[in-house]
Amino acid sequence: MVISGSIKGIEIACEKLKVAGAKRAMVLPVGGAFHSPLMEPAKNELAAAIESTVFHSPACPVYQNVAACAISDPIQIKNNLIQQLTAPVKWTQTVEQLIKDGASSFIEIGPGKVLQGLVKKVNREMEAISA
């Protein structure tokens, strides 16, 4: 589980989690409090950029972590992109829904293998590779 918020808030949460018996609680080095209400000031600028972009119906459903389900409506895809800035990431629910909907393998594109590992934590049986 990953939480987002102010640095002080995260530090307090880590201490409380350790006292409560968590095996590991640490501050991750990130560039901002993404996917939390602390990103609200950036939402208007992001919304303007997304709203000015033409979206067409996708060739296949899009799974967005804010909704954790298949989306084909371009308007909903736009709205979800805007909401994702301040909304929690529903990673586990999204991977579970993809599997339920028939996904049998996952391909991580880009550097690193973090997402492959996260897929395996949701379901060890899934094939997860990088490209």
Side-chain angles (χ1 to χ4, degrees):
M1 177 179 288
V2 176
I3 61 173
S4 184
S6 69
I7 294 171
K8 184 66 175 168
I10 299 298
E11 289 171 347
I12 291 168
C14 284
E15 289 306 313
K16 288 184 176 189
L17 287 165
K18 288 176 186 173
V19 168
K23 292 180 183 178
R24 184 169 66 165
M26 57 193 258
V27 177
L28 298 175
V30 296
F34 305 113
H35 312 294
S36 83
L38 294 174
M39 294 303 296
E40 192 68 40
K43 206 169 189 179
N44 287 340
E45 189 174 341
L46 176 66
I50 290 172
E51 291 298 341
S52 69
T53 303
V54 176
F55 280 53
H56 298 284
S57 294
C60 64
V62 175
Y63 287 76
Q64 297 170 291
N65 291 158
V66 71
C69 62
I71 310 284
S72 294
D73 176 29
I75 293 170
Q76 188 61 51
I77 292 169
K78 278 184 166 187
N79 290 337
N80 288 349
L81 285 171
I82 295 164
Q83 295 308 314
Q84 188 65 52
L85 186 63
T86 56
V89 174
K90 297 178 181 178
W91 175 261
T92 300
Q93 298 94 321
T94 302
V95 172
E96 288 172 344
Q97 188 63 51
L98 280 158
I99 294 168
K100 182 179 176 185
D101 290 348
S104 59
S105 62
F106 292 80
I107 302 170
E108 182 171 356
I109 299 172
K113 297 182 178 184
V114 172
L115 299 180
Q116 291 174 61
L118 293 176
V119 166
K120 290 290 193 178
K121 285 183 185 237
V122 174
N123 186 318
R124 292 187 186 276
E125 304 298 315
M126 284 294 108
E127 176 185 27
I129 60 172
S130 63

